Coordinates of all heavy atoms in Angstrom, one line a residue:
T21 N -37.2 24.6 -14.7 CA -37.4 23.7 -15.9 C -38.7 23.1 -16.0 O -39.6 23.5 -15.2 CB -36.3 22.6 -15.9 OG1 -36.5 21.8 -14.8 CG2 -34.9 23.2 -15.9
E22 N -38.8 22.1 -16.8 CA -40.1 21.5 -17.0 C -40.8 20.9 -15.8 O -42.0 21.0 -15.6 CB -39.9 20.3 -18.0 CG -41.2 19.6 -18.4 CD -40.9 18.5 -19.4 OE1 -39.8 18.4 -20.0 OE2 -41.8 17.6 -19.5
Y23 N -40.0 20.4 -14.8 CA -40.6 19.8 -13.6 C -40.5 20.8 -12.4 O -40.7 20.4 -11.2 CB -39.9 18.5 -13.2 CG -40.1 17.5 -14.3 CD1 -39.2 17.2 -15.3 CD2 -41.3 16.8 -14.4 CE1 -39.4 16.3 -16.3 CE2 -41.6 15.9 -15.4 CZ -40.6 15.6 -16.3 OH -40.9 14.7 -17.3
G24 N -40.1 22.0 -12.6 CA -40.0 23.0 -11.5 C -38.7 22.9 -10.7 O -38.6 23.4 -9.6
V25 N -37.7 22.2 -11.3 CA -36.4 22.1 -10.6 C -35.4 22.9 -11.4 O -35.3 22.8 -12.6 CB -35.9 20.6 -10.6 CG1 -34.6 20.5 -9.9 CG2 -37.0 19.8 -9.8
S26 N -34.6 23.7 -10.7 CA -33.7 24.6 -11.4 C -32.5 23.8 -11.9 O -32.2 22.7 -11.4 CB -33.2 25.7 -10.5 OG -32.3 25.1 -9.5
L27 N -31.9 24.3 -13.0 CA -30.7 23.6 -13.6 C -29.6 23.6 -12.6 O -28.8 22.6 -12.5 CB -30.3 24.4 -14.9 CG -29.2 23.7 -15.7 CD1 -29.6 22.3 -16.1 CD2 -29.0 24.6 -16.9
A28 N -29.5 24.6 -11.8 CA -28.4 24.7 -10.7 C -28.6 23.5 -9.7 O -27.6 22.9 -9.4 CB -28.4 26.0 -10.0
S29 N -29.8 23.2 -9.3 CA -30.1 22.1 -8.4 C -29.7 20.8 -9.0 O -29.1 19.9 -8.4 CB -31.5 22.1 -8.0 OG -31.8 23.2 -7.2
I30 N -30.1 20.6 -10.3 CA -29.8 19.4 -11.0 C -28.2 19.2 -11.1 O -27.7 18.1 -10.8 CB -30.4 19.3 -12.4 CG1 -31.9 19.3 -12.2 CG2 -29.9 18.2 -13.2 CD1 -32.7 19.4 -13.5
N31 N -27.5 20.2 -11.4 CA -26.1 20.2 -11.5 C -25.4 19.9 -10.2 O -24.5 19.0 -10.1 CB -25.5 21.5 -12.1 CG -25.7 21.6 -13.6 OD1 -25.9 20.6 -14.3 ND2 -25.9 22.8 -14.1
R32 N -26.0 20.5 -9.1 CA -25.4 20.2 -7.8 C -25.7 18.8 -7.4 O -24.8 18.1 -6.9 CB -26.1 21.2 -6.8 CG -25.5 21.0 -5.3 CD -26.1 22.1 -4.4 NE -27.6 22.2 -4.5 CZ -28.4 21.5 -3.8 NH1 -28.0 20.6 -2.9 NH2 -29.7 21.7 -3.9
W33 N -26.9 18.3 -7.6 CA -27.2 16.9 -7.3 C -26.3 15.9 -8.1 O -25.8 14.9 -7.5 CB -28.6 16.6 -7.6 CG -29.6 17.3 -6.7 CD1 -29.4 17.8 -5.5 CD2 -31.0 17.6 -7.0 NE1 -30.5 18.4 -5.0 CE2 -31.5 18.3 -5.9 CE3 -31.8 17.3 -8.1 CZ2 -32.8 18.7 -5.9 CZ3 -33.1 17.7 -8.1 CH2 -33.6 18.4 -7.0
R34 N -26.1 16.2 -9.4 CA -25.2 15.4 -10.2 C -23.8 15.4 -9.6 O -23.2 14.3 -9.6 CB -25.3 15.9 -11.6 CG -24.5 14.9 -12.6 CD -24.5 15.4 -14.0 NE -23.9 16.7 -14.1 CZ -24.1 17.6 -15.0 NH1 -25.0 17.3 -16.0 NH2 -23.5 18.7 -15.0
N35 N -23.3 16.5 -9.3 CA -21.9 16.6 -8.7 C -21.8 15.9 -7.4 O -20.8 15.2 -7.2 CB -21.5 18.1 -8.6 CG -21.3 18.8 -9.9 OD1 -21.0 18.1 -10.9 ND2 -21.4 20.1 -9.9
E36 N -22.8 16.0 -6.6 CA -22.8 15.3 -5.3 C -22.8 13.8 -5.5 O -22.1 13.0 -4.9 CB -24.0 15.7 -4.4 CG -23.8 17.1 -3.8 CD -25.0 17.5 -3.0 OE1 -25.9 16.7 -2.7 OE2 -25.1 18.7 -2.7
F37 N -23.7 13.3 -6.4 CA -23.7 11.9 -6.7 C -22.4 11.4 -7.3 O -22.0 10.3 -6.9 CB -24.9 11.6 -7.7 CG -25.0 10.1 -8.0 CD1 -25.5 9.2 -7.1 CD2 -24.5 9.7 -9.3 CE1 -25.6 7.9 -7.5 CE2 -24.6 8.4 -9.6 CZ -25.1 7.5 -8.7
S38 N -21.9 12.1 -8.2 CA -20.6 11.6 -8.8 C -19.5 11.6 -7.8 O -18.7 10.7 -7.8 CB -20.3 12.4 -10.1 OG -19.9 13.7 -9.7
S39 N -19.4 12.5 -6.9 CA -18.4 12.5 -5.9 C -18.6 11.4 -4.9 O -17.6 10.8 -4.5 CB -18.3 13.9 -5.2 OG -19.4 14.1 -4.4
T40 N -19.8 11.1 -4.6 CA -20.1 10.0 -3.7 C -19.7 8.7 -4.3 O -19.1 7.8 -3.7 CB -21.6 9.9 -3.4 OG1 -22.0 11.1 -2.8 CG2 -21.9 8.8 -2.4
T41 N -20.0 8.5 -5.6 CA -19.6 7.3 -6.3 C -18.1 7.2 -6.4 O -17.5 6.1 -6.1 CB -20.2 7.3 -7.8 OG1 -21.6 7.5 -7.7 CG2 -19.9 6.1 -8.5
N42 N -17.4 8.3 -6.7 CA -15.9 8.2 -6.7 C -15.3 7.9 -5.4 O -14.4 7.2 -5.3 CB -15.4 9.6 -7.2 CG -15.7 9.7 -8.7 OD1 -15.9 8.8 -9.5 ND2 -15.6 11.0 -9.2
N43 N -15.9 8.4 -4.3 CA -15.4 8.1 -3.0 C -15.6 6.7 -2.6 O -14.7 6.1 -2.0 CB -16.2 9.0 -1.9 CG -15.8 10.4 -1.9 OD1 -14.7 10.8 -2.4 ND2 -16.6 11.3 -1.4
R44 N -16.6 6.0 -3.1 CA -16.8 4.6 -2.8 C -15.7 3.8 -3.6 O -15.2 2.9 -3.0 CB -18.2 4.1 -3.3 CG -19.3 4.5 -2.3 CD -20.6 3.8 -2.7 NE -21.7 4.6 -2.3 CZ -22.7 5.0 -3.1 NH1 -22.8 4.6 -4.3 NH2 -23.6 5.8 -2.6
E45 N -15.5 4.2 -4.8 CA -14.4 3.5 -5.6 C -13.1 3.7 -4.9 O -12.2 2.8 -4.8 CB -14.4 4.0 -7.0 CG -15.7 3.6 -7.8 CD -15.8 4.3 -9.1 OE1 -14.9 5.1 -9.5 OE2 -16.8 4.0 -9.8
D46 N -12.8 5.0 -4.5 CA -11.5 5.3 -3.8 C -11.4 4.5 -2.6 O -10.3 4.0 -2.3 CB -11.4 6.8 -3.5 CG -11.3 7.7 -4.7 OD1 -11.0 7.1 -5.8 OD2 -11.6 8.9 -4.6
L47 N -12.4 4.3 -1.8 CA -12.4 3.5 -0.6 C -12.1 2.0 -0.9 O -11.3 1.4 -0.2 CB -13.7 3.6 0.2 CG -13.9 5.0 0.9 CD1 -15.3 5.0 1.6 CD2 -12.8 5.3 1.9
S48 N -12.6 1.5 -2.0 CA -12.4 0.2 -2.4 C -10.9 0.0 -2.8 O -10.3 -1.0 -2.3 CB -13.3 -0.2 -3.5 OG -13.0 -1.5 -4.0
V49 N -10.4 0.9 -3.5 CA -9.0 0.8 -3.9 C -8.1 0.9 -2.7 O -7.1 0.2 -2.5 CB -8.6 2.0 -4.9 CG1 -7.2 2.1 -5.1 CG2 -9.4 1.7 -6.2
L50 N -8.5 1.9 -1.8 CA -7.7 2.0 -0.6 C -7.7 0.8 0.3 O -6.6 0.4 0.8 CB -8.2 3.2 0.3 CG -7.5 3.6 1.5 CD1 -6.1 4.0 1.2 CD2 -8.3 4.7 2.2
E51 N -8.8 0.1 0.4 CA -8.9 -1.1 1.2 C -8.0 -2.2 0.5 O -7.3 -3.0 1.2 CB -10.3 -1.6 1.3 CG -10.6 -2.6 2.3 CD -10.2 -2.2 3.7 OE1 -10.4 -1.0 4.1 OE2 -9.7 -3.1 4.5
T52 N -8.1 -2.3 -0.8 CA -7.2 -3.3 -1.5 C -5.7 -3.0 -1.2 O -5.0 -3.9 -1.0 CB -7.5 -3.2 -3.0 OG1 -8.9 -3.5 -3.2 CG2 -6.7 -4.2 -3.8
E53 N -5.4 -1.7 -1.3 CA -4.0 -1.4 -1.0 C -3.6 -1.7 0.4 O -2.5 -2.2 0.7 CB -3.7 0.1 -1.3 CG -3.9 0.5 -2.8 CD -2.9 -0.3 -3.7 OE1 -1.7 -0.4 -3.3 OE2 -3.4 -0.8 -4.7
K54 N -4.5 -1.5 1.4 CA -4.2 -1.8 2.8 C -3.9 -3.3 2.9 O -3.0 -3.7 3.6 CB -5.3 -1.4 3.7 CG -5.4 0.1 4.0 CD -6.6 0.4 4.9 CE -6.7 1.8 5.2 NZ -7.8 2.1 6.1
Q55 N -4.7 -4.1 2.2 CA -4.6 -5.6 2.3 C -3.2 -6.0 1.7 O -2.5 -6.8 2.3 CB -5.7 -6.3 1.5 CG -7.0 -6.2 2.2 CD -8.2 -6.7 1.4 OE1 -8.0 -7.1 0.3 NE2 -9.3 -6.8 2.0
K56 N -2.8 -5.3 0.6 CA -1.5 -5.6 0.0 C -0.4 -5.3 0.9 O 0.6 -6.0 1.1 CB -1.3 -4.9 -1.3 CG -2.2 -5.4 -2.4 CD -1.9 -4.6 -3.7 CE -2.8 -5.0 -4.8 NZ -2.6 -4.2 -6.0
V57 N -0.5 -4.1 1.6 CA 0.6 -3.7 2.5 C 0.7 -4.6 3.7 O 1.8 -5.0 4.1 CB 0.3 -2.2 3.0 CG1 1.2 -1.9 4.2 CG2 0.5 -1.2 1.9
K58 N -0.5 -5.1 4.2 CA -0.5 -6.0 5.3 C 0.2 -7.3 4.9 O 0.9 -7.9 5.7 CB -1.9 -6.2 5.8 CG -2.1 -7.0 7.1 CD -3.5 -7.0 7.6 CE -3.6 -7.7 8.9 NZ -4.9 -7.7 9.4
A59 N -0.1 -7.8 3.7 CA 0.5 -9.1 3.3 C 2.0 -8.9 3.1 O 2.7 -9.8 3.5 CB -0.2 -9.5 1.9
L60 N 2.4 -7.8 2.6 CA 3.8 -7.5 2.4 C 4.6 -7.4 3.7 O 5.7 -7.9 3.9 CB 4.1 -6.3 1.5 CG 3.7 -6.5 0.1 CD1 3.8 -5.1 -0.7 CD2 4.7 -7.4 -0.6
E61 N 3.9 -6.8 4.7 CA 4.5 -6.6 6.0 C 4.7 -8.0 6.7 O 5.7 -8.3 7.3 CB 3.7 -5.7 6.9 CG 3.8 -4.3 6.6 CD 2.9 -3.4 7.3 OE1 1.8 -3.9 7.9 OE2 3.1 -2.2 7.4
K62 N 3.7 -8.9 6.5 CA 3.8 -10.2 7.0 C 4.9 -11.0 6.4 O 5.7 -11.7 7.0 CB 2.4 -11.0 6.8 CG 2.4 -12.4 7.3 CD 1.1 -13.1 7.1 CE 1.1 -14.5 7.6 NZ -0.1 -15.2 7.3
E63 N 5.0 -10.9 5.0 CA 6.1 -11.6 4.3 C 7.4 -11.0 4.8 O 8.4 -11.8 4.9 CB 5.9 -11.3 2.8 CG 6.9 -12.1 2.0 CD 6.7 -11.9 0.5 OE1 5.7 -11.3 0.1 OE2 7.5 -12.4 -0.3
L64 N 7.6 -9.7 5.0 CA 8.8 -9.2 5.4 C 9.2 -9.7 6.8 O 10.4 -10.0 7.0 CB 8.7 -7.6 5.4 CG 9.9 -6.9 6.0 CD1 11.1 -7.1 5.1 CD2 9.6 -5.4 6.1
K65 N 8.2 -9.8 7.7 CA 8.5 -10.3 9.0 C 9.0 -11.7 8.9 O 10.0 -12.1 9.6 CB 7.2 -10.2 9.8 CG 7.3 -10.7 11.3 CD 6.0 -10.5 12.0 CE 6.2 -11.0 13.4 NZ 4.9 -10.9 14.2
E66 N 8.4 -12.6 8.1 CA 8.8 -14.0 7.9 C 10.2 -14.0 7.3 O 11.0 -14.8 7.8 CB 7.8 -14.7 7.0 CG 6.5 -14.9 7.7 CD 5.4 -15.5 6.7 OE1 5.7 -15.7 5.5 OE2 4.3 -15.7 7.2
M67 N 10.5 -13.2 6.4 CA 11.8 -13.2 5.7 C 12.9 -12.8 6.7 O 14.0 -13.4 6.8 CB 11.9 -12.2 4.5 CG 11.0 -12.7 3.4 SD 11.8 -14.1 2.6 CE 10.3 -15.1 2.3
K68 N 12.6 -11.8 7.6 CA 13.6 -11.4 8.6 C 13.8 -12.5 9.6 O 15.0 -12.7 10.0 CB 13.1 -10.1 9.3 CG 13.2 -8.9 8.5 CD 12.7 -7.7 9.3 CE 12.9 -6.4 8.6 NZ 12.5 -5.2 9.3
L69 N 12.8 -13.2 10.0 CA 12.9 -14.3 10.9 C 13.8 -15.4 10.3 O 14.7 -15.9 10.9 CB 11.6 -14.9 11.3 CG 11.5 -16.1 12.2 CD1 12.2 -15.7 13.6 CD2 10.1 -16.6 12.4
E70 N 13.5 -15.7 9.0 CA 14.3 -16.7 8.3 C 15.8 -16.3 8.2 O 16.7 -17.1 8.4 CB 13.8 -17.0 6.9 CG 12.5 -17.8 6.9 CD 11.9 -17.9 5.6 OE1 12.5 -17.7 4.5 OE2 10.7 -18.3 5.5
R71 N 16.0 -15.0 7.9 CA 17.4 -14.5 7.8 C 18.1 -14.6 9.1 O 19.2 -15.1 9.2 CB 17.3 -13.0 7.4 CG 18.7 -12.3 7.3 CD 18.6 -10.8 7.5 NE 18.1 -10.5 8.8 CZ 17.6 -9.3 9.1 NH1 17.5 -8.4 8.1 NH2 17.1 -9.1 10.3
D72 N 17.4 -14.3 10.2 CA 18.0 -14.4 11.5 C 18.4 -15.8 11.9 O 19.4 -16.1 12.5 CB 17.1 -13.7 12.6 CG 17.0 -12.2 12.4 OD1 17.8 -11.6 11.7 OD2 16.0 -11.6 13.0
I73 N 17.5 -16.7 11.6 CA 17.7 -18.1 11.8 C 19.0 -18.6 11.0 O 19.9 -19.3 11.6 CB 16.5 -19.0 11.5 CG1 15.4 -18.7 12.5 CG2 16.9 -20.5 11.4 CD1 14.0 -19.3 12.1
L74 N 19.1 -18.2 9.8 CA 20.2 -18.6 9.0 C 21.5 -18.0 9.5 O 22.6 -18.6 9.5 CB 20.0 -18.2 7.5 CG 19.0 -19.0 6.8 CD1 18.7 -18.4 5.4 CD2 19.5 -20.4 6.6
K75 N 21.5 -16.7 10.0 CA 22.7 -16.1 10.6 C 23.1 -16.9 11.8 O 24.3 -17.2 11.9 CB 22.3 -14.7 11.0 CG 22.4 -13.7 9.9 CD 22.1 -12.3 10.5 CE 22.1 -11.2 9.5 NZ 21.9 -9.9 10.1
K76 N 22.2 -17.3 12.6 CA 22.6 -18.1 13.8 C 23.1 -19.5 13.4 O 24.1 -19.9 14.0 CB 21.3 -18.3 14.7 CG 20.9 -17.0 15.4 CD 19.7 -17.2 16.3 CE 19.3 -15.9 16.9 NZ 18.1 -16.0 17.7
A77 N 22.5 -20.1 12.4 CA 23.0 -21.4 11.9 C 24.5 -21.2 11.4 O 25.3 -22.1 11.7 CB 22.1 -21.9 10.9
V78 N 24.7 -20.2 10.6 CA 26.1 -20.0 10.1 C 27.0 -19.8 11.2 O 28.1 -20.3 11.2 CB 26.1 -18.8 9.1 CG1 27.5 -18.3 8.8 CG2 25.3 -19.2 7.8
S79 N 26.6 -19.0 12.2 CA 27.5 -18.8 13.4 C 27.8 -20.1 14.1 O 28.9 -20.3 14.5 CB 26.8 -17.8 14.3 OG 27.5 -17.6 15.5
I80 N 26.8 -20.9 14.3 CA 27.0 -22.2 15.0 C 27.9 -23.1 14.2 O 28.9 -23.7 14.8 CB 25.6 -22.8 15.3 CG1 24.9 -22.1 16.3 CG2 25.8 -24.3 15.7 CD1 23.4 -22.5 16.5
F81 N 27.7 -23.2 12.9 CA 28.5 -24.1 12.1 C 29.9 -23.6 11.9 O 30.9 -24.4 11.9 CB 27.9 -24.3 10.7 CG 26.7 -25.2 10.8 CD1 25.4 -24.8 10.4 CD2 26.8 -26.5 11.3 CE1 24.3 -25.6 10.4 CE2 25.7 -27.4 11.3 CZ 24.4 -26.9 10.9
S82 N 30.1 -22.3 11.9 CA 31.4 -21.7 11.8 C 32.2 -21.9 13.0 O 33.5 -22.1 13.0 CB 31.4 -20.3 11.4 OG 30.9 -19.5 12.4
K83 N 31.6 -22.0 14.2 CA 32.3 -22.2 15.5 C 32.7 -23.7 15.5 O 33.8 -24.0 16.1 CB 31.4 -21.9 16.6 CG 31.2 -20.4 16.9 CD 30.3 -20.2 18.1 CE 30.0 -18.7 18.2 NZ 29.0 -18.4 19.3
S84 N 31.9 -24.6 15.0 CA 32.2 -26.0 15.1 C 33.3 -26.4 14.1 O 33.9 -27.4 14.3 CB 31.0 -26.9 14.8 OG 30.5 -26.7 13.5
D85 N 33.5 -25.6 13.1 CA 34.6 -25.9 12.1 C 36.0 -25.5 12.7 O 37.0 -26.0 12.2 CB 34.4 -25.1 10.9 CG 33.3 -25.6 10.0 OD1 32.8 -26.7 10.3 OD2 32.8 -24.9 9.1
R86 N 36.1 -24.8 13.7 CA 37.4 -24.4 14.3 C 38.0 -25.4 15.2 O 37.6 -26.3 15.7 CB 37.2 -23.1 15.1 CG 36.9 -21.9 14.2 CD 36.8 -20.6 15.0 NE 36.1 -19.6 14.1 CZ 35.5 -18.6 14.6 NH1 35.6 -18.3 15.8 NH2 34.9 -17.7 13.8

């Protein structure tokens, strides 16, 4: 072409650049999703602990009612 660079090279460079840009965006989305999963796992752990505490409390109170 005008600057001595073939059209094939320009197309290849453009494709490489766009895939690199998309990969960065994908990594950002993936990191956000990982953070959400981690937060949900923490919440689930806390809920299970609360559930187990309530089960024990119900067991204790039901024994004292007899």
Side-chain angles (χ1 to χ4, degrees):
T21 63
E22 181 179 346
Y23 296 102
V25 179
S26 70
L27 187 57
S29 293
I30 293 172
N31 286 332
R32 182 173 48 90
W33 294 337
R34 185 178 63 205
N35 289 338
E36 287 177 13
F37 177 76
S38 69
S39 69
T40 303
T41 303
N42 288 339
N43 286 339
R44 283 189 210 128
E45 291 170 1
D46 291 344
L47 289 175
S48 175
V49 169
L50 183 61
E51 194 60 37
T52 301
E53 293 300 316
K54 283 182 181 180
Q55 290 173 352
K56 287 180 184 178
V57 168
K58 190 173 182 177
L60 288 170
E61 287 174 339
K62 181 180 178 185
E63 184 178 355
L64 176 62
K65 184 178 177 181
E66 291 172 358
M67 291 291 136
K68 285 182 175 182
L69 180 61
E70 290 176 11
R71 178 203 62 199
D72 292 344
I73 290 170
L74 288 171
K75 280 183 179 180
K76 289 178 183 178
V78 166
S79 173
I80 291 169
F81 286 121
S82 65
K83 286 179 185 176
S84 66
D85 288 343
R86 294 182 195 162

